[in-house]
Amino acid sequence: KWSWEDAGWKTRVLTDDDARQHPDYEKYESMLQKLKISSYNHFCFHRWLAMVAVGGGWMSDYDTVPLHMDANLAIAQEKISGGQFVSY
């Protein structure tokens, strides 16, 4: 968290509690339970539910650090994309 904040980002660590706030959490959870996927992959879907539940933003995996990307660049990219989903 601190490495992101040092690069100018406002951070928030999401948890499964955030995913549970998604209005369709139970529906998606029911579908995920029927799939034959690993726990890791199952909970990767929860990340996206959590992102929607908190209103979106930039998401990074826990093992990624901002070596050459600062918050100002991210803000500029968001304006260019018109708030649409962008993946790097």
Side-chain angles (χ1 to χ4, degrees):
K1 180 179 176 180
W2 60 266
S3 62
W4 285 96
E5 290 172 348
D6 287 349
W9 295 83
K10 179 182 174 189
T11 61
R12 177 176 176 183
V13 177
L14 300 179
T15 69
D16 206 45
D17 289 336
D18 296 301
R20 291 175 191 277
Q21 297 305 310
H22 188 284
D24 293 323
Y25 175 84
E26 293 299 331
K27 178 176 95 174
Y28 287 113
E29 183 60 20
S30 176
M31 288 189 280
L32 288 169
Q33 291 290 334
K34 295 174 186 172
L35 298 174
K36 294 181 181 180
I37 59 175
S38 68
S39 294
Y40 175 82
N41 288 327
H42 180 112
F43 286 105
C44 282
F45 284 98
H46 284 208
R47 296 177 193 175
W48 299 111
L49 293 175
M51 284 297 295
V52 171
V54 300
W58 281 74
M59 195 270 296
S60 173
D61 229 338
Y62 70 92
D63 57 354
T64 305
V65 293
L67 297 177
H68 300 287
M69 185 174 186
D70 66 30
N72 293 323
L73 174 62
I75 292 166
Q77 289 292 339
E78 184 177 4
K79 288 179 183 175
I80 291 169
S81 71
Q84 298 297 309
F85 176 78
V86 177
S87 177
Y88 297 95

